[in-house]
Amino acid sequence: MEEAKQLFTKLKIYSLLDLALIIPTSYNDTTLSKSLVLGQVHTLEAKVIESSVYGGKLRVTFTLTDSGRRLSSTFFRSTPYHHKQFSVGSSHVIQGKLEEYKGYLQMSQPKSIKQIGKITPKYKTVLKESSIASLMECYITEKNLYNEGLDSKEVATLMLLHFPKSIDEIYENNSLKGELKDRLKFIEAFNHLKKLQGKRVDFPAIRALNGDIEPFISNLPFTLTAEQMSVISDIRKDVAKEDKACKRMVVGDVGSGKTMVILASVMMAYPHKSILMAPTSLLALQLYEEAYKHLPSWVKVALVMQGRDKGDYVEADFVIGTHALLYKEDLPRASLVMVDEQHRFGTQQRQSLETLVSSQTHKAHFIQFSATPIPRTQAMMQSELLDVSLITTTPFEREVLTQTISKEDFPDLLGHIKEEIAQEHQVLIIYPLVEASSEVPYQSLEESRGFWEKKFKQVYVTHGKDKHKEEVLLKFREEGSILLATTVVEVGISLPKLTLIVIVGAERLGLATLHQLRGRVGRNGLKSWCYLYSNKKENFRLQQFTQTTNGFDIAKLDLKFRDSGDILDGTIQSGQKFKWLDMAEDEEVVAYAKKRVKIKKELK
Ligand code: ADP
Ligand code: MG
């Protein structure tokens, strides 16, 4: 079927269920109408009782066989063929929209139907109607659908939608009947998961890791949360295996305590080596300091970053670094490789990481950490490719009050900023742009800095393209009052004295970005504020954001607002788009689909 193959490519169809999930958008039904309802399309048996040509138009009067009522029709641009077809005394089945004019039934330009009781699905695709219809007839059979692993109800649903015997079974007030829609959701999830399933490739590990984490845990100044412990136990099971290298992603909100999970993993690897890569030198430095502080003294830690190495990375048990790690030719092979803030790395950097992980046939255990919460549904889907652990709570309740503000609130804001600085707290103001632009109705960083520098001492400025960004951030951390920046500070550095953040033009940013920014304040439990500055204070999306603090709930919200037009920063993950499945709501459907995919695999 070379021809069919080409059509499938055109339609971007890669599985039988991809085809089956192209659901008709409407149906042409030639079942005879049982009653007359004005404004709707009817199929009626009728006999011609009068026929006349009238200014180029053909006017035909019928009597309807069922009701005996009269109905008149006009054919514009009529041909001699029409005249002959609708001669007086002839019988027809006509189809068209029923209307009424001065008490007389009318049907303009009716079609003459040859076959009664036929339901033809209409598909909206790039293909010709006849081509798509013949593809469906050829491939969508009960046998093929059962072969895909569907059960009898699901098969019946698809057969009904593609080859209906009656339209009534399909619709309920013009939309798909609830149960049909639920089954389509399931089939969509099932199809997606089946495709992912074949994609996971596992390799044997360099070695199994069984190091004792107790000396580290018992020495911590706090107890780990239940979720931290549960992730640690997930990882423990993974790395204890030799036949399969660990491949896990740990997703946890900013401040959920992922660093402790990293350090516990280092303990599991000890006395073998671990490597941790971070996206910026500042973050690497911070991780180094934490490792130094919390790991037992006998675990040797080293830091690798351009020009500022600490310790001997060849000797060390735990090497922390930036991508500078990738250029060290004498970097020893590690049994455990980790990446912090993995969402901050480019695709290319992630690929070169592979070289750290692999040693011909055996791979290092590999754990990635991400602070971009994803909906549970997405995590469940992704876990077909790699294992996923979620940390959904933070060790201590952070008190961050979020509020939308506008021009009229500026004097109050200024007062509040002064108060915070007086208490030796720090303030962060995020601008949408560095330079002025006519396209953005807000002041830029450069336009505003003069104002702040005149009013306050210790004002620091940085932005994404700033070569000295990291030094500025370090200086600010030590002695700054106000930091003016663009969204660069998203990078997970911790500024413990930060208690107030203002985000200018907040409505332009995605909720995920806003949440990351808000995560900068109140890191140490200090009461904090997040002000969303917008020219228009009434914004439903921002309003919802002010009331939602959990990153996983934000991810759900973000999905809901996916189509709203005011998001410009493209932070929304361009995940798989589903037609029926709602990633924010359909957790149960995805869970069930996962179960079914697993059963199918085991049966094979
Ligand atoms: P993340 O990397 O997930 O954003 P961190 O690991 O930086 O978060 O942790 C944030 C803060 O919480 C740090 O100051 C850390 O020392 C502290 N912390 C971590 N776990 C706990 C815990 N179980 N109890 C109290 N504080 C904790
Ligand atoms: Mg972190």
Side-chain angles (χ1 to χ4, degrees), residues 182-460:
D182 288 346
R183 284 198 202 114
L184 289 178
K185 282 174 185 233
F186 166 80
I187 296 167
E188 211 172 20
F190 184 71
N191 181 36
H192 183 69
L193 286 167
K194 265 176 56 173
K195 283 190 212 165
L196 289 182
Q197 201 176 40
K199 286 197 180 148
R200 174 163 180 155
V201 192
D202 284 306
F203 290 88
I206 296 174
R207 60 169 60 82
L209 303 173
N210 295 303
D212 186 8
I213 61 172
E214 203 35 51
F216 159 72
I217 305 265
S218 55
N219 210 26
L220 285 173
F222 39 69
T223 32
L224 294 179
T225 64
E227 280 193 306
Q228 280 172 318
M229 285 309 284
S230 134
V231 176
I232 289 171
S233 120
D234 285 346
I235 293 174
R236 227 185 201 321
K237 281 181 214 142
D238 288 351
V239 300
K241 287 185 194 146
E242 196 166 8
D243 59 331
K244 194 170 135 190
C246 161
K247 212 152 92 175
R248 184 172 290 276
M249 167 95 81
V250 177
V251 184
D253 224 338
V254 180
S256 61
K258 294 186 289 298
T259 312
M260 294 305 136
V261 177
I262 292 174
L263 298 183
S265 307
V266 170
M267 292 304 288
M268 294 176 209
Y270 188 83
H272 302 290
K273 291 177 188 296
S274 314
I275 291 179
L276 171 65
M277 190 158 106
T280 65
S281 349
L282 208 58
L283 191 58
L285 185 62
Q286 213 169 297
L287 288 162
Y288 173 78
E289 283 166 2
E290 293 224 32
Y292 201 82
K293 190 161 118 197
H294 295 298
L295 286 177
S297 56
W298 61 85
V299 180
K300 280 180 262 143
V301 187
L303 178 68
V304 171
M305 52 194 221
Q306 227 163 15
R308 278 187 288 178
D309 289 5
K310 277 189 195 185
D312 181 352
Y313 62 82
V314 181
E315 289 290 309
D317 304 305
F318 181 29
V319 184
I320 300 168
T322 59
H323 62 280
L325 283 170
L326 299 171
Y327 305 101
K328 296 281 186 198
E329 276 168 16
D330 52 348
L331 190 73
R333 213 164 266 309
S335 304
L336 170 64
V337 173
M338 293 178 285
V339 180
D340 198 15
E341 307 268 334
Q342 71 85 32
H343 56 287
R344 299 263 128 228
F345 285 97
T347 344
Q348 217 172 7
Q349 277 172 322
R350 273 184 232 178
Q351 267 166 13
S352 40
L353 250 179
E354 278 287 302
T355 59
L356 287 182
V357 179
S358 58
S359 75
Q360 288 145 16
T361 52
H362 292 64
K363 290 204 181 219
H365 295 289
F366 186 45
I367 311 171
Q368 293 169 276
F369 294 82
S370 165
T372 305
I374 49 174
R376 203 171 276 278
T377 46
Q378 205 174 321
M380 287 195 279
M381 294 248 183
Q382 254 173 30
S383 64
E384 290 297 325
L385 297 175
L386 79 176
D387 299 301
V388 182
S389 304
L390 301 184
I391 309 183
T392 60
T393 54
T394 44
F396 44 84
E397 195 62 39
R398 279 204 283 154
E399 214 186 337
V400 183
L401 196 75
T402 309
Q403 236 174 299
T404 51
I405 57 168
S406 217
K407 215 179 194 136
E408 67 270 18
D409 305 306
F410 196 74
D412 288 344
L413 176 68
L414 218 51
H416 191 177
I417 288 176
K418 280 183 190 152
E419 273 171 39
E420 291 304 311
I421 291 173
Q423 297 176 57
E424 304 210 330
H425 294 161
Q426 296 177 314
V427 170
L428 172 61
I429 305 175
I430 302 291
Y431 285 92
L433 284 176
V434 181
E435 310 277 350
S437 157
S438 57
E439 276 162 37
V440 178
Y442 293 98
Q443 287 210 325
S444 67
L445 192 57
E446 288 302 335
E447 285 172 294
S448 321
R449 70 184 289 176
F451 170 84
W452 297 106
E453 284 167 343
K454 219 162 83 195
K455 272 207 150 45
F456 294 90
K457 288 184 205 117
Q458 311 291 13
V459 175
Y460 289 80

